[in-house]
Amino acid sequence: GAGVSQTPSNKVTEKGKYVELRCDPISGHTALYWYRQSLGQGPEFLIYFQGTGAADDSGLPNDRFFAVRPEGSVSTLKIQRTERGDSAVYLCASSLFGGEGSPLHFGNGTRLTVT
Amino acid sequence: RKEVEQDPGPFNVPEGATVAFNCTYSNSASQSFFWYRQDCRKEPKLLMSVYSSGNEDGRFTAQLNRASQYISLLIRDSKLSDSATYLCVVIGSGNTGKLIFGQGTTLQVKP
């Protein structure tokens, strides 16, 4: 079946612009996670959705970052007033239930470059 | 201090060698642990879960030492295809299900 799909795969934007990154999880997966990964680092947690609600948004670095999942499936990560330090690969993952015993399935990521 | 710490390596080993990676975690309340594998410019994929009793999957053995708060991964008879970054992962506190990743340890197996 289809895995986690992320679009776009690459995004280049200018400093100060607004971007939206989209994630289509595996059908039926209730848990959805956003991570970002910089070169040479492990994925850094941003936010976790259980259904439509954000169960844990403690990883969002500041109020320029916001994510939604209005119908409990597709999620959009929104970044306002982008900065060069936002450049990274943004990874989305979904799991059937969330928590232990429910492995994460990652998408291929969106590579964001802020110039 | 990071919640999950790993030696980034790289570990360069010949084919057939046995190699071990360690990982330490800071939250003593953590209950679930995993090793993920990530190939260059690809997404992370679950390699194996880590249980208190230790577990083995073919050439791979994972162990957990709760007293010392470290997790290990042993790879025996390493293959060229084992070359990748190995990420140590801990489920964060608060039972929200968020996974905390280490920096990753890079393994390069050479012919």
Side-chain angles (χ1 to χ4, degrees):
Chain A
V4 177
S5 173
Q6 291 188 248
T7 54
S9 54
N10 281 283
K11 175 72 178 177
V12 180
T13 191
E14 291 180 350
K15 179 175 177 293
K17 299 289 188 184
Y18 168 82
V19 295
E20 288 190 355
L21 311 180
R22 177 187 167 107
C23 173
D24 272 281
I26 293 172
S27 178
H29 280 196
T30 63
L32 185 145
Y33 304 76
W34 283 99
Y35 286 81
R36 74 175 172 182
Q37 188 171 25
S38 301
L39 194 63
Q41 300 298 314
E44 174 194 11
F45 172 79
L46 296 177
I47 186 169
Y48 158 52
F49 286 92
Q50 186 58 254
T52 60
D56 186 337
D57 64 358
S58 61
L60 294 177
N62 51 59
D63 61 6
R64 296 187 297 105
F65 288 75
F66 189 71
V68 295
R69 194 186 186 200
E71 297 177 359
S73 55
V74 171
S75 176
T76 305
L77 178 66
K78 309 180 182 194
I79 311 174
Q80 298 178 320
R81 304 184 303 281
T82 51
E83 299 178 357
R84 292 195 179 89
D86 298 336
S87 297
V89 176
Y90 287 81
L91 293 163
C92 176
S94 70
S95 72
L96 193 55
F97 302 118
E100 61 179 288
S102 190
L104 264 62
H105 300 265
F106 281 88
N108 292 331
T110 294
R111 185 173 300 276
L112 176 67
T113 304
V114 182
T115 62
Chain B
R1 183 187 171 192
K2 292 182 181 178
E3 267 192 80
V4 181
E5 296 208 53
Q6 295 180 251
D7 178 351
F11 284 61
N12 295 299
V13 303
E15 263 187 297
T18 295
V19 61
F21 309 134
N22 286 335
C23 160
T24 59
Y25 61 95
S26 61
N27 186 352
S28 59
S30 298
Q31 295 295 321
S32 299
F33 311 90
F34 309 90
W35 284 100
Y36 275 69
R37 171 190 168 131
Q38 186 171 27
D39 292 292
C40 188
R41 299 180 82 88
K42 297 286 190 181
E43 73 278 18
K45 292 184 178 177
L46 178 66
L47 178 66
M48 58 198 304
S49 301
V50 186
Y51 304 118
S52 295
S53 55
N55 50 304
E56 188 173 310
D57 182 2
R59 297 181 294 109
F60 297 81
T61 301
Q63 297 216 309
L64 167 65
N65 184 320
R66 287 191 184 275
S68 301
Q69 292 179 213
Y70 81 77
I71 306 149
S72 64
L73 177 68
L74 181 79
I75 306 175
R76 289 181 299 279
D77 187 25
S78 50
K79 313 289 185 193
L80 296 177
S81 57
D82 294 335
S83 299
T85 295
Y86 291 84
L87 297 157
C88 175
V89 185
V90 173
I91 285 199
S93 58
N95 200 31
T96 63
K98 89 183 177 194
L99 271 64
I100 308 298
F101 286 77
Q103 179 182 1
T105 298
T106 299
L107 171 66
Q108 186 68 43
V109 181
K110 299 190 180 296

